[in-house]
Amino acid sequence: MASRRAAIKAIDWAAFAERVPPNQKAMFVALKSRSDALSARLAALPEKPPAIDWAHYKAAVAKAGMVDEFQKKFSALKVPEPVDTQSDKVNAQEQEAEKSSAEYIQASKARIAQYEQQLQKLRSMIPFEQMTFEDLHEAFPETKLDKEKYPFWPHKPIADL
Amino acid sequence: MLSRLLLRAAPAALRSLPPPVTVGLLQAARPLHTTQQRPAPLPPLPEKGGEVRHGLIPEEFFQFLYPKTGVTGPYMLGTGLVLYLLSKEIYVINHETVAAACILSVIIYAVKKYGPAVADFADKLNEEKVSKAVAAKNKVMESLETAIDQEKQEQWRIEGRSYLFDAKRNNIAMLLEINYRERLLMVYNEVKKRLDYQVAIQNLRRQKEQDHMIHWVEKNVIQSITPQQQKESIAKCILDLKALSKGAQAAV
């Protein structure tokens, strides 16, 4: 039965738990408990049911053909394997996740580049002791006083003093 | 000095002339500061002013005279000048001299005594301003660095997304396996139940037949014991008992 028994991979729950962000811990715990419940159930079930002792029944049951009939039907019976409907969904989800995570990583890298740029600008700034006010306004544009909007001293709303 | 006067008069005179000529003449007369360039960033301001001796006379003057007159040159010059001014009465000593002397001595005393303190205070004020700015800048830099670290950590977290899907697929596989095993088990149980049922039915039937037969035999036997037979059998029993009791007495 090759189609059965999609190999159950060993999951490193510790490493998994490390990577879970704190706001998703509850979901992770739910998933883990479900997994553990399933594996407990799986371990409780025997892989094959015990064999039926046909000889004993043949001796015991008086009706002649019944046991033979049962035996024939039993060995002919094929238990259908349960059909896997969800794997495709999971695979589709995985593809989605790949795409969105690639996007996120792109955006994250862009943000990192931005931060790096700002950091670089700050690192290469001249020390404050050597700055004039013009240099200060260049380095920190928010310190520049808007003389058009507020033509009278102190050139900013009084509340901001 | 005269050229300076001329230059100051020149713009006023030239304002009457038509503009292009004014500009051209002005530019020829005195080059304006037309370029916007200056070395950027500004070179740092010198920490201390030029050296002065006695608070008044720049050191460069002493150095200027040193090659010709040595160390005492400027002092000799100064003394000579002062004596000349006094003796020729170019500077007249009067009440104002006394007032000037008192005021100057007080001022000099105050500056010498409290100058450093005031200077430190002013320096402290400046220090505070600068340190506030520096602290703000450091905070911004730190927050940027933490932001970068957090972004990197988020990226690392994302790398673990395969775990989630492996777990899901595992769950699915486990469910399927469980389902399958349960079905096998169910089939087995059902078949076994039916076979056991058959065996149990048979046993029960046999049991019932046995009981019934025994009961029927007993009933018939009891029925067949007629009153006549009963009396005969009781009389025989009593005779037997008597014989037994005789025998028994002898044995005892």
Side-chain angles (χ1 to χ4, degrees):
Chain A
M1 303 233 207
S3 58
R4 200 186 111 196
R5 208 30 93 97
I8 295 181
K9 257 159 91 164
I11 293 187
D12 186 0
W13 288 102
F16 190 5
E18 269 180 4
R19 305 225 185 199
V20 171
N23 62 345
Q24 293 176 2
K25 273 267 180 304
M27 301 204 287
F28 169 72
V29 164
L31 177 67
K32 183 162 198 291
S33 54
R34 202 144 27 107
S35 270
D36 290 342
L38 280 180
S39 49
R41 265 173 74 189
L42 189 64
L45 286 174
E47 187 174 336
K48 282 193 178 323
I52 298 186
D53 191 359
W54 294 109
H56 165 250
Y57 283 116
K58 248 197 270 247
V61 175
K63 227 188 276 194
M66 183 182 252
V67 175
D68 291 327
E69 205 183 307
F70 271 36
Q71 187 178 11
K72 203 163 47 151
K73 286 221 182 103
F74 183 75
S75 39
L77 176 68
K78 274 182 97 55
V79 179
E81 295 162 18
V83 179
D84 181 3
T85 54
Q86 305 293 326
S87 271
D88 295 328
K89 287 195 198 149
V90 170
N91 287 340
Q93 273 183 355
E94 190 169 12
Q95 298 299 331
E96 278 285 327
E98 286 282 338
K99 251 195 331 207
S100 67
S101 58
E103 277 172 20
Y104 181 79
I105 290 185
Q106 282 290 82
S108 170
K109 287 209 168 101
R111 277 195 291 268
I112 287 186
Q114 228 182 9
Y115 294 152
E116 283 283 346
Q117 204 188 32
Q118 283 180 336
L119 208 55
Q120 199 50 39
K121 196 174 70 136
L122 283 179
R123 284 211 187 104
S124 61
M125 210 170 71
I126 54 179
F128 286 102
E129 292 90 6
Q130 296 179 21
M131 271 197 206
T132 66
F133 268 105
E134 273 187 16
D135 292 337
L136 178 67
H137 296 329
E138 259 181 52
F140 299 104
E142 59 265 15
T143 50
K144 194 162 162 55
L145 293 172
D146 195 350
K147 299 233 167 117
E148 280 92 33
K149 195 161 173 220
Y150 305 104
F152 301 110
W153 184 85
H155 304 294
K156 51 176 156 173
I158 303 268
D160 283 353
L161 270 177
Chain B
M1 188 159 131
L2 290 171
S3 59
R4 251 188 285 138
L5 282 174
L6 191 63
L7 283 169
R8 245 186 248 130
L14 287 167
R15 236 171 258 136
S16 51
L17 290 172
V21 183
T22 314
V23 170
L25 273 174
L26 219 52
Q27 274 184 340
R30 193 178 75 176
L32 290 174
H33 190 56
T34 50
T35 164
Q36 301 283 3
Q37 297 164 1
R38 42 179 229 270
L42 281 181
L45 295 172
E47 189 71 19
K48 300 220 171 292
E51 291 264 313
V52 273
R53 272 209 218 181
H54 309 298
L56 282 177
I57 306 141
E59 188 68 34
E60 282 83 10
F61 181 66
F62 290 83
Q63 298 303 329
F64 173 65
L65 289 181
Y66 179 77
K68 290 286 187 223
T69 57
V71 186
T72 50
Y75 293 105
M76 294 313 295
L77 178 62
T79 314
L81 268 175
V82 166
L83 286 177
Y84 165 70
L85 289 174
L86 284 175
S87 69
K88 287 286 216 174
E89 294 249 329
I90 297 176
Y91 177 71
V92 177
I93 291 189
N94 50 13
H95 61 285
E96 286 178 7
T97 312
V98 178
C102 299
I103 292 171
L104 279 177
S105 59
V106 167
I107 288 176
I108 288 173
Y109 171 76
V111 166
K112 280 230 181 301
K113 189 117 193 276
Y114 301 112
V118 170
D120 285 339
F121 175 71
D123 281 343
K124 196 158 64 82
L125 287 179
N126 209 21
E127 247 326 294
E128 274 173 25
K129 271 195 234 168
V130 167
S131 66
K132 260 200 286 191
V134 166
K137 173 181 147 190
N138 282 349
K139 211 155 53 104
V140 167
M141 283 197 359
E142 267 175 25
S143 70
L144 279 177
E145 279 172 3
T146 37
I148 289 182
D149 282 338
Q150 275 180 348
E151 291 283 338
K152 291 215 171 101
Q153 201 190 19
E154 286 301 310
Q155 284 186 8
W156 174 78
R157 282 229 171 99
I158 281 190
E159 281 169 20
R161 63 186 177 276
S162 59
Y163 284 124
L164 171 65
F165 295 106
D166 286 342
K168 284 197 182 184
R169 278 193 280 263
N170 267 11
N171 281 4
I172 291 179
M174 278 201 281
L175 264 179
L176 293 177
E177 182 65 20
I178 285 174
N179 223 322
Y180 182 70
R181 287 191 194 173
E182 275 179 0
R183 287 183 191 180
L184 284 178
L185 204 59
M186 194 169 64
V187 164
Y188 163 79
N189 281 343
E190 289 295 310
V191 171
K192 194 152 190 319
K193 263 198 303 194
R194 278 167 180 54
L195 288 174
D196 285 343
Y197 173 75
Q198 291 295 325
V199 173
I201 285 269
Q202 271 178 226
N203 289 348
L204 180 68
R205 200 188 179 85
R206 193 177 205 87
Q207 185 78 8
K208 283 276 175 242
E209 283 175 356
Q210 268 183 346
D211 287 347
H212 187 260
M213 205 160 358
I214 290 172
H215 185 73
W216 185 82
V217 165
E218 278 181 357
K219 199 164 66 143
N220 277 355
V221 165
I222 289 177
Q223 268 179 354
S224 68
I225 300 179
T226 57
Q228 169 66 11
Q229 270 181 323
Q230 211 165 2
K231 267 194 212 143
E232 275 182 19
S233 59
I234 286 180
K236 187 143 192 315
C237 287
I238 292 173
L239 279 174
D240 281 337
L241 276 172
K242 277 198 186 138
L244 273 173
S245 64
K246 275 196 202 130
Q249 265 181 355
V252 167

